[in-house]
């Protein structure tokens, strides 16, 4: 049986429930041949966290995005 690398195009491993289990999740991904992941940013904060994850993990990429409902809050602290 051929085994092809899997590229997960939509992940949110920065969610609190995932962060607590990140090592376990990454081990499971490796066992299932999930070799690459895109961490999806959906507001200013999550986009920055997704970017940091992509910098920390060589097999992660990220998108930096804003939902239309969040655009007005960009840059507001």
């Amino acid at each position: 049986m051929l085994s092809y690398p899997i590229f997960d195009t939509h992940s949110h491993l920065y969610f609190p429930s995932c962060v607590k289990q990140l090592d376990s999740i990454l081990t499971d991904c490796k066992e299932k041949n999930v070799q690459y992941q895109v961490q999806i940013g959906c507001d200013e904060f999550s986009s920055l966290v997704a970017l940091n994850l992509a910098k920390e993990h060589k097999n992660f990429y990220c998108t930096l995005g804003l939902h239309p409902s969040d655009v007005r809050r960009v840059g507001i602290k």
Side-chain angles (χ1 to χ4, degrees), residues 33-69:
N33 209 24
V34 177
Q35 293 187 14
Y36 304 98
Q37 295 185 37
V38 178
Q39 302 304 317
I40 305 296
C42 43
D43 58 23
E44 187 176 16
F45 177 76
S46 64
S47 290
L48 293 173
V49 175
L51 179 61
N52 285 333
L53 277 172
K55 288 179 179 179
E56 293 172 10
H57 299 273
K58 67 178 182 171
N59 59 334
F60 282 11
Y61 298 87
C62 70
T63 64
L64 309 178
L66 297 171
H67 281 211
S69 61

